[in-house]
Amino acid sequence: MNSWKATLDAAGIDDSELRADFTRLRRVVSRYRRHQYLAVRLLLPKAIVPHVIATTVFMHHTDTILDREGPVEERAAAYDRWERLVGEALTSRRSDHLVLRPLLHTYEACPRLEHHIKEFLGAGHVDLEFTGFAREEEYQDYIDGYSLPAFMLVANLLAPDADEAGYRGACRQFIDGSQRLDFATDLAEDLRAGRLNVPAQMLERHGVTRADLESGKDSPEVRALLAESIQQAQASLVESYALVTHLPEAHRPMGRALIGMEELTADAARRKGAQLLTSSARASIPAALRLLAREYRRRS
């Protein structure tokens, strides 16, 4: 793996303060997204790596503000302050914020990013107002209203010259599968936080109640519910391989690895079954490393 100094040099990040900023963000991502961070470092050209890291941290920081504990009014007020701060930074092209200063540098290198930043910030209100899904259609509205704009922050960097409609459609297929899988694998954590991300319509169809899930009930009905969620996620992920065809050749190993990592997570979730009601599922480390090694060889 190339040295971090060489990566910053390749991206044209010469200012010592900015280099320190990007280095700080690199440490943040490597802690909470270890597999994804390793994939970025191994599989993407050096020049784009710091920019992917900067947008990922911005997305994560924004998401943290939305998901923090407390009354919705307090979270909404905190998010409004953040939205204003980001807007002022984009207008003035200046910021002392440790997340925004490197993001502005990335924006200068990738001007189309401004549209995606603003779209994502506007989408944050969808997540603030989220109270659960009654029907599948509401879940799909959530994908369009929040999950897809969030993913497009990084996806735009991977294929800046792609056909907008075709690429966005393929990205939507991916994020549909990824978000559905995330809701399944994090079901225990979400329930402890008072959130239920499975559509009520789906619960009714399987004869499962929220109390069944909160109590960790292992029944054929619960297992069937979880299996269907994971199967739906897997189907969307398989179809999302179309997004790889929109990527420049140098970015395709990363695209395949991104989808492949989600498929490994889906495999782990399927094996775990009703135990998802007590703890999350994560991709097998040996399998993830084999996937990365395979794509790295294809890149070389």
Side-chain angles (χ1 to χ4, degrees):
M1 188 158 59
N2 296 300
S3 75
W4 181 242
K5 179 180 180 299
T7 300
L8 292 173
D9 291 343
I13 301 170
D14 303 319
D15 179 79
S16 60
E17 187 176 45
L18 266 178
R19 288 172 78 92
D21 287 340
F22 277 97
T23 300
R24 189 180 301 109
L25 298 192
R26 175 179 72 98
R27 295 193 190 103
V28 171
V29 172
S30 67
R31 284 197 300 269
Y32 75 87
R33 287 286 188 271
R34 186 169 298 278
H35 289 165
Q36 290 88 337
Y37 168 74
L38 185 59
V40 167
R41 292 296 308 276
L42 282 174
L43 302 179
L44 284 176
K46 294 191 294 294
I48 194 177
V49 168
H51 302 310
V52 169
I53 287 174
T55 51
T56 299
V57 172
F58 168 69
M59 179 173 59
H60 177 69
H61 183 84
T62 303
D63 205 45
T64 300
I65 293 172
L66 292 167
D67 289 344
R68 68 197 304 178
E69 294 183 4
V72 66
E73 294 80 8
E74 291 180 8
R75 292 188 290 118
Y79 187 71
D80 285 344
R81 290 192 295 271
W82 175 241
E83 193 172 12
R84 285 196 300 272
L85 187 65
V86 177
E88 290 165 3
L90 289 174
T91 300
S92 67
R93 304 293 191 264
R94 294 177 56 85
S95 179
D96 292 327
H97 195 283
L98 296 179
V99 170
L100 296 182
R101 194 160 55 211
L103 183 72
L104 288 176
H105 181 80
T106 289
Y107 160 66
E108 290 175 5
C110 315
R112 286 181 58 183
L113 185 61
E114 182 174 13
H115 163 74
H116 295 286
I117 292 172
K118 290 180 176 178
E119 182 186 39
F120 173 57
L121 286 174
H125 296 280
V126 172
D127 197 58
L128 271 174
E129 296 163 5
F130 172 73
T131 57
F133 307 116
R135 302 180 309 280
E136 171 68 16
E137 291 80 5
E138 293 180 7
Y139 165 76
Q140 293 297 334
D141 288 343
Y142 182 86
I143 295 298
D144 287 321
Y146 181 71
S147 303
L148 181 59
F151 180 63
M152 291 307 297
L153 283 169
V154 173
N156 171 70
L157 298 178
L158 296 179
D161 300 320
D163 167 63
E164 179 69 21
Y167 183 51
R168 190 178 179 93
C171 288
R172 191 197 187 284
Q173 200 72 49
F174 169 76
I175 204 62
D176 185 353
S178 178
Q179 184 67 80
R180 198 185 297 273
L181 180 62
D182 189 58
F183 282 158
T185 57
D186 289 340
L187 188 57
E189 179 183 341
D190 289 337
L191 285 170
R192 286 193 294 269
R195 298 188 299 271
L196 177 58
N197 298 319
V198 180
Q201 187 181 53
M202 190 174 181
L203 291 175
E204 292 169 7
R205 190 169 70 250
H206 285 277
V208 174
T209 66
R210 180 173 184 143
D212 291 336
L213 300 179
E214 290 176 334
S215 66
K217 183 178 182 179
D218 185 349
S219 68
E221 293 79 11
V222 167
R223 290 195 294 273
L225 170 73
L226 295 172
E228 182 182 345
S229 293
I230 296 164
Q231 185 178 34
Q232 287 176 331
Q234 288 176 309
S236 293
L237 291 171
V238 168
E239 292 183 20
S240 75
Y241 274 100
L243 77 80
V244 177
T245 65
H246 293 272
L247 301 178
E249 189 68 36
H251 297 173
R252 290 180 181 180
M254 181 64 199
R256 288 190 295 266
L258 187 68
I259 301 168
M261 286 284 192
E262 294 294 270
E263 290 182 312
L264 291 176
T265 302
D267 290 340
R270 191 184 63 252
R271 289 192 298 269
K272 197 157 190 175
Q275 292 179 17
L276 287 171
L277 300 181
T278 56
S279 59
S280 62
R282 294 293 179 261
S284 157
I285 292 177
L289 292 177
R290 286 194 297 270
L291 169 64
L292 293 179
R294 182 173 68 247
E295 290 301 336
Y296 183 73
R297 287 193 298 271
R298 293 179 72 172
R299 172 182 180 270
S300 301

